[in-house]
Amino acid sequence: MTVKGWAVTAGIGAAAGAVAVLMMPRTNPTRRLAAKAANKMEDVAWKVSDTISGKLDDLDLG
């Protein structure tokens, strides 16, 4: 299997898993854990974005 094939297969598997979790009731512990993980990842992504923006603003490009 090529890397591209593996990546597509992994992506499809992750998408199917996400759909399965979203179909669970909101009170399900697995769904709650997935929501916490998603929120944490979003927070990290925002922090990284802010850090990169700050570093780029500090550069003197002119």
Side-chain angles (χ1 to χ4, degrees), residues 4-57:
K4 183 178 178 182
W6 181 87
V8 169
T9 303
I12 291 171
V19 168
V21 168
L22 289 175
M23 290 175 60
M24 294 177 181
R26 289 187 187 268
T27 56
N28 186 299
T30 303
R31 181 167 176 169
R32 287 182 181 208
L33 182 63
K36 278 179 142 178
N39 289 338
K40 187 75 151 176
M41 288 303 299
E42 183 180 13
D43 292 345
V44 169
W46 277 111
K47 287 179 184 177
V48 168
S49 175
D50 290 344
T51 300
I52 291 172
S53 294
K55 297 286 184 186
L56 290 176
D57 289 343

